[in-house]
Amino acid sequence: MASNSRGTRPDGPALGSNRDSTRQHNLSTVLRLVHLHGGISRAQLTRATGLNRSTIAALVTELVALGLAVEKEPEHTQQHGRPSIMLRPGPGALALAVNPDVDAVGVALVSLGGRIVNPVRFHTVRAPSTAEVVNIVSAVYSGMAASLPAEQRVLGVGVAVPGLVDPADGRVIEAPQLDWREQPLAEQLREALGLPVFAANDAVVAARAQAAFGAGRDVEDFVYLFGGASGIGGGLVSGGRLLHGSTGFAGQLGHTLVRTDGAACSCGANGCLEAEVAREQLLDAAGLPADQAEDLEERVLELIDAGGDAAQRLRAVVDHQASLLAVALRTLVHHLNPSLIILGGFLRVLARVNPSALEDAVRVGGARGAREEVRIELAPLGADPVLTGAAELAFEPLLSDPAGFAHA
Ligand SMILES: [Zn+2]
């Protein structure tokens, strides 16, 4: 017979730890629902979890005591019956979101529920080195931390990197636009801030934000494609799960082949989507310098509306890019059978100039069921999905084990 090294009855600790792990699991489930819904009633929690009312009441009390949730009257009352009290994300836990870019470092505190509290975009004269990112983040964070009330705590840091990141240790393998290779950014930030640091690719974390709070919410199968200064990236959600692949590098959608005789790509191949569809070409055609890239979408729409030769040349570039993006989307539709494609960054304007072109393109060929169901939506402009997605990385340990927050 196997002896129990702790000298306790075999069923004793097992029962205890089962109870603990059930409670931890239930607390995690409820906090996740509050986090993702922004506001949810006890009755809705009971329905969503299948737990009884007294169990929900106990879990809610615990989350409120931890400062992770607050109970509030709804803003507008229903006509019939008593308005149900809503459980909303509490202010107690914060994540620091960091997004180094070619001309700035974005830093923000994010609270549960994906609410960005005070974003700072620290502009740099050139692409920052990792040491500069660490200095900027340290300075911005110490200012933020000094003005935080005592009941609010920053749990960790989520970094969204425009490049390839090793998911195991947060090491930046390559971020060509920043001229970074093999940089232990997560480790450097951990040392400087004394907080746990998690890092991932910017488009992958933005896909995560879309799944949690954006157009991809409650969508089991979607593709998110984001176009930025450093190329095209994205995320694939299949059966409700973000696909990681065997080593964490799934979703390199910028390297989807769109032209067999196409331009050379940074990856060493030819005719990849991001080699053919680049933000730079659109900026050139719209006569905008790279530091005004935020205005690209509005400028392109204005110029095309104005008409004339310049509009025609710009329109030709947009249509060419849209047709190649359509090739990539068609491939993705046939591989993944998504119900939704979300376009972010400069890819939005390709869809806005001619909304039906991309929709029509994904409906050509292949299985009818796959192509008829898919719709295309646009992600919000700006860095918000990247920052909320980065914060999700740092919130994950809390969401998995909310009780751990009390003794952290
Ligand atoms: Zn490539």
Side-chain angles (χ1 to χ4, degrees):
M1 197 181 100
S3 69
N4 185 317
S5 61
R6 285 182 197 153
T8 45
R9 285 189 334 205
D11 61 338
L15 188 62
S17 65
N18 277 347
R19 256 189 215 137
D20 281 351
S21 76
T22 303
R23 194 178 125 272
Q24 179 186 328
H25 173 79
N26 290 343
L27 203 59
S28 163
T29 304
V30 170
L31 182 60
R32 235 178 248 283
L33 284 165
V34 173
H35 174 59
L36 296 177
H37 287 255
I40 188 165
S41 70
R42 289 189 185 197
Q44 287 169 321
L45 283 172
T46 307
R47 275 198 299 280
T49 59
L51 296 168
N52 65 41
R53 283 169 54 191
S54 62
T55 304
I56 289 292
L59 294 168
V60 167
T61 304
E62 187 166 356
L63 290 177
V64 170
L66 288 168
L68 299 175
V70 286
E71 288 198 286
K72 278 189 180 160
E73 301 278 345
E75 276 108 35
H76 51 89
T77 51
Q78 295 149 339
Q79 277 189 319
H80 304 289
R82 206 156 46 94
S84 43
I85 308 251
M86 301 298 279
L87 191 66
R88 299 190 187 284
L94 296 167
L96 185 72
V98 175
N99 176 218
D101 206 345
V102 286
D103 57 357
V105 181
V107 185
L109 287 175
V110 182
S111 68
L112 280 175
R115 200 168 59 84
I116 295 176
V117 184
N118 45 355
V120 172
R121 204 169 158 78
F122 190 98
H123 288 274
T124 55
V125 286
R126 57 190 157 75
S129 66
T130 55
E132 284 162 344
V133 170
V134 172
N135 286 339
I136 291 167
V137 173
S138 301
V140 172
Y141 175 63
S142 62
M144 288 172 170
S147 58
L148 277 184
E151 64 274 16
Q152 286 191 308
R153 204 161 82 219
V154 179
L155 301 182
V157 185
V159 191
V161 180
L164 212 53
V165 179
D166 189 328
D169 57 8
R171 180 174 47 96
V172 180
I173 296 166
E174 190 180 35
Q177 298 292 323
L178 302 174
D179 203 18
W180 294 357
R181 257 162 213 84
E182 294 299 335
Q183 296 291 324
L185 177 62
E187 197 186 311
Q188 291 172 300
L189 279 170
R190 198 174 299 131
E191 277 172 17
L193 303 174
L195 290 168
V197 181
F198 308 87
N201 173 266
D202 57 356
V204 170
V205 303
R208 209 175 153 138
Q210 290 303 312
F213 310 110
R217 188 173 174 164
D218 300 326
V219 179
E220 290 280 297
D221 297 272
F222 74 87
V223 172
Y224 172 73
L225 262 172
F226 175 85
S230 49
I232 295 174
L236 307 167
V237 172
S238 183
R241 300 182 80 90
L242 188 63
L243 298 183
H244 295 288
S246 60
T247 53
F249 297 117
Q252 303 291 313
L253 305 183
H255 301 287
T256 308
L257 178 66
V258 293
R259 259 182 75 185
T260 48
D261 59 347
C265 180
S266 63
C267 73
N270 283 76
C272 294
L273 176 65
E274 71 173 37
E276 293 288 332
V277 177
R279 194 182 76 171
E280 220 180 335
Q281 298 156 358
L282 278 179
L283 286 169
D284 277 355
L288 271 182
D291 62 2
Q292 287 172 37
E294 311 165 9
D295 303 329
L296 178 66
E297 184 167 320
E298 281 318 305
R299 176 66 74 91
V300 167
L301 295 171
E302 270 168 31
L303 286 172
I304 286 179
D305 264 356
D309 286 354
Q312 266 185 3
R313 281 195 300 274
L314 179 57
R315 182 68 200 241
V317 173
V318 171
D319 286 350
H320 177 69
Q321 292 203 346
S323 70
L324 292 168
L325 175 61
V327 174
L329 295 186
R330 216 155 57 209
T331 301
L332 292 167
V333 166
H334 295 316
H335 286 187
L336 292 149
N337 185 200
S339 60
L340 172 68
I341 293 167
I342 307 171
L343 300 177
F346 80 85
L347 301 179
R348 285 169 43 103
V349 76
L350 305 181
R352 282 191 72 187
V353 167
N354 189 349
S356 59
L358 290 174
E359 304 231 348
D360 292 347
V362 298
R363 297 207 163 88
V364 175
R368 255 179 70 193
R371 66 190 197 234
E372 280 175 2
E373 288 305 313
V374 65
R375 66 199 155 85
I376 296 175
E377 285 196 22
L378 306 182
L381 269 179
D384 286 11
V386 173
L387 292 171
T388 48
E392 287 295 283
L393 300 172
F395 278 136
E396 191 49 45
L398 169 74
L399 294 170
S400 303
D401 180 18
F405 180 66
H407 1 94

